[in-house]
C-alpha cells in the first residue's frame, strides 16, 4: 500500500487533542441539562447483614428531596444479568444467583446499594440519605477465598455449596497425572494475583432523562459501548422495547474493562427520571468508586510443571481459585476461565490439566480489568518457568528457547484449543534481551553493591489473545461539503480511536484527517456495535473501515467516471480529488457529492468485519531494577519492550498504549494492594491507602516492535490495548525475585512487592 | 464551617475567573471546584477524587497551583482564578499545552487540565530543572492512562521553550 501523508503507519498527532487540551472535552459529568436533579446512593456499611428500612418519612420530608427508592419501590425492574455462565466439570450448569438493582433484606458486601435518594442538590440528597433509618443485623462474613472454601464457612449463596460458584475443568487429568509420574523433575509454585481497583481518573457517571410524550428514555453514561447497555437495559431490566431507549457515551476518562458492565445506577437514574419528570444525574465520587465498581484480578493459583531430564516441558497442572466477590458481575465467571485458555503461553506443552473454581466472598464483585484473565495466566506461567530454570540450573533464556513454540510450527494448536497463526517468540526474546544488555548484566551488579543495593534483571515472554468474537459494522459517507463521516460502534475510552480510524479512511480517500469526522457512542445514530474491550477496536474496527473506505472509493470513482467521461479503472484518488491517472482532468469530492447520480446509497459504504478467530500479540519485556535492602524500596532502572503487534497503525498511539499498560502492570507488581479487614471493611478505599503509580515511579521505556502480520484481518493487526499490563507483572516480579535470589537465595515473593514485604523477606533470609 | 450552612444562609463574594469578575451568592459549603463546574459551567477543571489526592482539579489561585476541591469558593473571595479554559491566548495555545500535544502527553484527557495547570506552575516555580525534579514535582497529579514518560517529556520541552523565549 502506498504511503499517505496522514494514512496508516504514520505517527500522526491525535485529532482529539485540541479539544481535550483546552478543557473542552465533554465527559458525562460535564453534561448538566436544565433542571437536573441529583441522585445519591445509600450503601451498606456492613459486609454481610440482614436489614429492614424502618423509616424513610423523615428523609422524604427534608428540603429538596424528590424521591426515595428502596428495593420494594423498584420491584418492577429486572436484575442485572450475568452473561457468562460456565459449565461445571460434572456436566451441570452453574447456578446464577440474583443481582438486584437494590439489595432486598440482605446486603452482601460493603457498598452494596440499599436506597437511592433524588433531590434538587447533591448536598440535600446526601443529608436525606443520612436520615434514612435502617435496622442492621450484622451476619458472619467470609472474605478470603481460602476461608470461603473451608468447611463451616459462612455462606454467601445457598445455591452455591461451599461458596463455589463453579468448578470447571480443562484438559486431560489422567494423561497429565501419567506425564507427571514419569517426569524427571517437577517444579511447583503458588502465586497470588492481587485484587486491583481500576481507578480510571473519571469516576463513573450517568444521567437519566425521560420524555413522557414519546415514552423514550435517554441514558448518558461513561461506558465502553452503548449498544450492549441499551439491549440489556431495555430487554432485561426496564422491560421496554429497545427503540424506546437511547444510550449516549461522550468522552470517557478511561475504562480499562471496568466501565464495560451494566451497573445498578443506570436503570435506577432512568427509572427515577420517569418518576420525577426531570433529568436525574448520578456522579460517583472516588470513595464510591472503591466500593461501588467491580474490582479486578484476585486469583490464587497453584501451578506445576513436569520436565524431562533435558528441561523439555512434558505437562502442566494448574489449579485456579478466582474470587468473584458477592454478586456475579456481567462477565465475571469467564475471566479466570479465559486465563486458563492461555495457560501454556508461548510454550509447546503437550499435556495439560486445569481446574478453575469461581469463589463467592462478601466482597465487591470482580470482573474484567485490563487483560482480564490473561495477565493472571502470563504471571503464573512466567514465574513458574523462571522457577524451573532456577531449580534445574539452566539459564532462563535457554529453557525458554528449548520449549518455545517455533515459528516453523505455525499455525500451532495449543492443548487448550487455541490456534496461534503466526509469531516468532524466540526472535522477540533474543532481540529484547540484546536491547536490554542482558548478557552484560553481571558487570552492573557490583556498581549497585558499592552503593549498598542489590540488583536484578528479569524478563517475561508473553502471548495473549485479542479481538475475538463479535464483528463490527460501520459506514463511511461522503457529505455534501466534501467531508467524510464515519459511524462506528466501538467506543473510545481515550485511546485515540478517532485518529486511528481517520488514518484508515485517509489511506483510501487521501483526505486530511480534519475532513473526516468519526462518530461513536450514540445508539440512535449508530445501528449496532460492540464497544471497546479485549483490545478489539483497532484489529476489528480498523479492518472493517479499511474495507468500507475501499468500497466507497470504488463507488466514488464510478460516479466520477461518468462526469469525466473515462473508465473507472483509469481513475485514481489523490489530494481529495478523483482524477484520470496521468492527466490534470479531475473532480473534487465536493463536486462528486453534487452530481445528479450521487444518490445517498452511492455516497455511503457500509461494511462489516467479523474476525474468524482471535489475534495473538506477543513479545518479551525485560526489566532491570535495584532494591535497597535497608528500606525494601525497589527502583526500576530500565524497562525494555519488544512486541509483535502484527502491524503498526500509528506508532504514537501504540507507544502510549504499551507504556500505559506496562505502568498499570508495574502498579500491580510493586504498589497496588486491595485490603479488606477480617469483617469485610475495605481498608484501601482512597488514594491515601491504595497506592497508585505516580510520575516518579514510572521509568522511561525502550519500546520497539517485531511485527509478524496477523493472518486474521486485512491489515495484519493484533490488538495492543492490554499487552503491556499482561507482560509487565511477570517481567517486574522475575526481576525482583532475581535480585533477591542472587543476594539472599529468596525464590518467591508475592505481588505487590511493597517495601515492607521486601524488607521482611530480606530480614527473614538474613537470620 | 460557618453555622449558617445548614439553615441555607448564603454568602456574597466576588471572584475573578479567567479575567472575568463574578459577583455571586452561594452556600458556604460549596467548593471552588463545584462552583466553577456547576455555577459557571467551566467544566474543564475535573473532579477526580474530591479529596485533594489526585490533582485532576488543579488550577491557579492568585498564580499558585491548588486543588480546587480543597478550597471553598468563599476562600477565593476577592482573588483571581485561572483555569484550563483561561490558559490559551485566543487561538494560541500556551506552550505547555502545545508541548503536551507534541509529546503525546495524554490519552483519555481527564487528568490533563490538572496536569497542564500543574506543569505551568511547576515550571514557574523553578522545579523543572531535571527529569528527576519534574517527576517529583508532577507526582501530585495522577494519570491512570500512565502517560507519565510523555508528560515528563512535555514539561521538559515546554520549560526549554519558555526559557528560550524569556
Amino acid at each position: 500500500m502506498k504511503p499517505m501523508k496522514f494514512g496508516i503507519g504514520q505517527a500522526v498527532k491525535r485529532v482529539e487533542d485540541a479539544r481535550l487540551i483546552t478543557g473542552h472535552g465533554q465527559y458525562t459529568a460535564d453534561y448538566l441539562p436544565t433542571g437536573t436533579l441529583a441522585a445519591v446512593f445509600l450503601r451498606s456499611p456492613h459486609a454481610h447483614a440482614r436489614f429492614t428500612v424502618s423509616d424513610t418519612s423523615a428523609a422524604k420530608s427534608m428540603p429538596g428531596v424528590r424521591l426515595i427508592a428502596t428495593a420494594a419501590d423498584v420491584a418492577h425492574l429486572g436484575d442485572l444479568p450475568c452473561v457468562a455462565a460456565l459449565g461445571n466439570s460434572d456436566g451441570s450448569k452453574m447456578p446464577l444467583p440474583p443481582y438486584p438493582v437494590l439489595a432486598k433484606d440482605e446486603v452482601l458486601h460493603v457498598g452494596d446499594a440499599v436506597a437511592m435518594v433524588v433531590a434538587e442538590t447533591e448536598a440535600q440528597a446526601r443529608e436525606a440519605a443520612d436520615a434514612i433509618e435502617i435496622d442492621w443485623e450484622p451476619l458472619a462474613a467470609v472474605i478470603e477465598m481460602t476461608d470461603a472454601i473451608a468447611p463451616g464457612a459462612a455462606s454467601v449463596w445457598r445455591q452455591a455449596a461451599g461458596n463455589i460458584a463453579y468448578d470447571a475443568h480443562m484438559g486431560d487429568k489422567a494423561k497429565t497425572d501419567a506425564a507427571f509420574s514419569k517426569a524427571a523433575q517437577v517444579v511447583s509454585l503458588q502465586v497470588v494475583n492481587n485484587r486491583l481497583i481500576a481507578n480510571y481518573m473519571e469516576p463513573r457517571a450517568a444521567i437519566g432523562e425521560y420524555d413522557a410524550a414519546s415514552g423514550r428514555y435517554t441514558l448518558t453514561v461513561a461506558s465502553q459501548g452503548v449498544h450492549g447497555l441499551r439491549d440489556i437495559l431495555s430487554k432485561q431490566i426496564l422491560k421496554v422495547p429497545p427503540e424506546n431507549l437511547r444510550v449516549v457515551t461522550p468522552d470517557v476518562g478511561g475504562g480499562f474493562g471496568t466501565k464495560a458492565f451494566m451497573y445498578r445506577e443506570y436503570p435506577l437514574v432512568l427509572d427515577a427520571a420517569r418518576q420525577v419528570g426531570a433529568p436525574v444525574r448520578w456522579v460517583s465520587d472516588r470513595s464510591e468508586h472503591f466500593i461501588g465498581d467491580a474490582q479486578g484480578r484476585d486469583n490464587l493459583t497453584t501451578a506445576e510443571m513436569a520436565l524431562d531430564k533435558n528441561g523439555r516441558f512434558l505437562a502442566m497442572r494448574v489449579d485456579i481459585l478466582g474470587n468473584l466477590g458477592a454478586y456475579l458481575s456481567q462477565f465475571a465467571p469467564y475471566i479466570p476461565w479465559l486465563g486458563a485458555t492461555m495457560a501454556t503461553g508461548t510454550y509447546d506443552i503437550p499435556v495439560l490439566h486445569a481446574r478453575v473454581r469461581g469463589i463467592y466472598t462478601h466482597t465487591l464483585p470482580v470482573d474484567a480489568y485490563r487483560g482480564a484473565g490473561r495477565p493472571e495466566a502470563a504471571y503464573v506461567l512466567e514465574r513458574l518457568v523462571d522457577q524451573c530454570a532456577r531449580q534445574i540450573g539452566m539459564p532462563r533464556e535457554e529453557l525458554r528457547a528449548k520449549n518455545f513454540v517455533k515459528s516453523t510450527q505455525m499455525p500451532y494448536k495449543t492443548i487448550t484449543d487455541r490456534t496461534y497463526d503466526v509469531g516468532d517468540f524466540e526472535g522477540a526474546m533474543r532481540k529484547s534481551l540484546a536491547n536490554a544488555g542482558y548478557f552484560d548484566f553481571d558487570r552492573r551488579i557490583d556498581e549497585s553493591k558499592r552503593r549498598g543495593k542489590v540488583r536484578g534483571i528479569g524478563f517475561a515472554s508473553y502471548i495473549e489473545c485479542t479481538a475475538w468474537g463479535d464483528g463490527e459494522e460501520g459506514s463511511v459517507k461522503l457529505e455534501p461539503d466534501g467531508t467524510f463521516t464515519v459511524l462506528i460502534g466501538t467506543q473510545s475510552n481515550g485511546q485515540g480511536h478517532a485518529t486511528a480510524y481517520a488514518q484508515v479512511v485517509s489511506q483510501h480517500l487521501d483526505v486530511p484527517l480534519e475532513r473526516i469526522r468519526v462518530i461513536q457512542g450514540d445508539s440512535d445514530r449508530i445501528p449496532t456495535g460492540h464497544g471497546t474491550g479485549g483490545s478489539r477496536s483497532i484489529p476489528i474496527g480498523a479492518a472493517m473501515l479499511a474495507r468500507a473506505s475501499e468500497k466507497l472509493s470504488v463507488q466514488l470513482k464510478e460516479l466520477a467516471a461518468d462526469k469525466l467521461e473515462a473508465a473507472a479503472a483509469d481513475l485514481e484518488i489523490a489530494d481529495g480529488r478523483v482524477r484520470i491517472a496521468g492527466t490534470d482532468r479531475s473532480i473534487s469530492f465536493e463536486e462528486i457529492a453534487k452530481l445528479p447520480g450521487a444518490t445517498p446509497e452511492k455516497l455511503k459504504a457500509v461494511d462489516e468485519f467479523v474476525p474468524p478467530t482471535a489475534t495473538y500479540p506477543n513479545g518479551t519485556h525485560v526489566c532491570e531494577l535495584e532494591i535497597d535492602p535497608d528500606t525494601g524500596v525497589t527502583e526500576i532502572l530500565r524497562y525494555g519492550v519488544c512486541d509483535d503487534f502484527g502491524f503498526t497503525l500509528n506508532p504514537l498511539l501504540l507507544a502510549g498504549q504499551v507504556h500505559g499498560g506496562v505502568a498499570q502492570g508495574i502498579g500491580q507488581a510493586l504498589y497496588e494492594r486491595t485490603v479488606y479487614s477480617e469483617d469485610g471493611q475495605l481498608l484501601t478505599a482512597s488514594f491515601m491507602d491504595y497506592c497508585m503509580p505516580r510520575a516518579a515511579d514510572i521509568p522511561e521505556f525502550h519500546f520497539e516492535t517485531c511485527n509478524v502480520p496477523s493472518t486474521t484481518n486485512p491489515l495484519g493487526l493484533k490488538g495492543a490495548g492490554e499487552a503491556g499490563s499482561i507482560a509487565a507483572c511477570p517481567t517486574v516480579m522475575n526481576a525482583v525475585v532475581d535480585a533477591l535470589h542472587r543476594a539472599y537465595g529468596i525464590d518467591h515473593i508475592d505481588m505487590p512487592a511493597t517495601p515492607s514485604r521486601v524488607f521482611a523477606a530480606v530480614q527473614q533470609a538474613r537470620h | 464551617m460557618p453555622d449558617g450552612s445548614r439553615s441555607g444562609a448564603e454568602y456574597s463574594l466576588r471572584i475573578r475567573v479567567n479575567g472575568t469578575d463574578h459577583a455571586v451568592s452561594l452556600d458556604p459549603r460549596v467548593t471552588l471546584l463545584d462552583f466553577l463546574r456547576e455555577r459557571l459551567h467551566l467544566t474543564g477543571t475535573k473532579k477526580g477524587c474530591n479529596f485533594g489526592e489526585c490533582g485532576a482539579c488543579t488550577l491557579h489561585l492568585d498564580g499558585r497551583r491548588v486543588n480546587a476541591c480543597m478550597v471553598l469558593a468563599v476562600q477565593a473571595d476577592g482573588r483571581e482564578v485561572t483555569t484550563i479554559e483561561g490558559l490559551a491566548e485566543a487561538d494560541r495555545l500556551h506552550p505547555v499545552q502545545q508541548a503536551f500535544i507534541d509529546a503525546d502527553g495524554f490519552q483519555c484527557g481527564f487528568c490533563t487540565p490538572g496536569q497542564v495547570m500543574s506543569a505551568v506552575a511547576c515550571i514557574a516555580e523553578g522545579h523543572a530543572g531535571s527529569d528527576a525534579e519534574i517527576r517529583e514535582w508532577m507526582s501530585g497529579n495522577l494519570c491512570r492512562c500512565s502517560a507519565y514518560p510523555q508528560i515528563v517529556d512535555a514539561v521538559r520541552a515546554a520549560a526549554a521553550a519558555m526559557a528560550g523565549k524569556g
Side-chain angles (χ1 to χ4, degrees), chain A residues 418-419 421 466-469 540 609-616 710-712:
Chain A
R418 289 188 168 277
T419 302
D421 55 341
T466 72
W468 67 92
I540 300 175
F609 176 68
V610 182
T613 178
T615 76
Y616 292 96
S710 170
T711 60
T712 63

Side-chain angles (χ1 to χ4, degrees), chain A residues 293-499:
Chain A
D293 292 13
Q295 302 179 346
R297 314 274 195 265
D298 203 349
N299 287 4
L300 176 63
T301 303
T302 308
E304 295 171 276
M305 191 76 84
L307 301 93
D308 74 11
K309 61 180 178 10
N310 300 317
R312 271 286 294 155
F313 299 155
L314 300 173
M316 190 178 172
R317 202 184 262 146
V318 189
D319 189 337
I320 301 171
L321 289 177
N323 197 339
L324 305 183
Y327 295 104
L328 290 179
S329 180
Q330 194 165 340
F331 306 107
Y334 180 62
I335 308 306
W337 179 259
L338 172 61
T341 68
M342 295 303 293
T344 58
T346 52
Y347 306 104
D348 181 16
I349 303 177
V351 181
L352 167 117
H353 180 249
R355 183 183 192 193
V356 187
R357 280 171 289 176
I359 309 299
Y360 290 116
T361 58
H362 290 110
T363 62
L364 268 293
V366 179
D367 205 328
Y369 170 67
R370 201 169 193 170
R374 291 154 284 162
E376 294 90 315
Y379 181 65
V380 168
L381 181 61
E382 288 301 282
R383 285 287 314 273
L384 179 63
V385 170
D386 260 27
Q387 194 79 336
C388 288
R390 268 189 297 273
Q391 285 195 16
I392 71 173
M394 185 182 287
R396 295 172 276 183
E397 64 283 7
E398 271 182 42
L399 179 64
R400 283 180 171 83
K402 189 185 277 281
N403 287 286
F404 275 144
V405 175
K406 309 282 182 287
S407 43
T408 51
Q409 288 174 276
M410 302 288 176
Y412 172 86
K413 189 168 179 180
T414 70
I415 193 69
T416 59
D417 207 23
R418 289 188 168 277
T419 302
Y420 303 155
D421 55 341
V422 288
D424 178 8
F425 309 144
E426 186 173 346
M429 180 185 75
R430 300 264 177 228
K431 197 169 167 188
S432 207
L433 292 180
N435 287 342
Y438 180 80
F439 298 100
D440 299 333
F441 172 75
D442 286 352
R443 290 191 210 156
R444 299 189 289 274
I445 294 182
D446 287 344
E447 184 214 324
S448 297
K449 210 178 258 172
R450 279 197 293 278
R451 288 181 286 114
K453 308 275 180 74
V454 299
R455 199 173 183 114
I457 190 165
F459 63 96
S461 295
Y462 78 98
I463 184 165
E464 65 129 337
C465 56
T466 72
W468 67 92
D470 294 313
E472 205 64 44
E473 186 191 286
S475 62
V476 185
K477 183 181 162 205
L478 174 60
E479 303 289 352
D481 63 357
T483 63
F484 291 86
T485 302
V486 172
L487 296 182
I488 187 162
T490 56
Q491 181 65 56
S492 181
N493 274 201
Q495 306 97 320
H497 291 168
T499 303

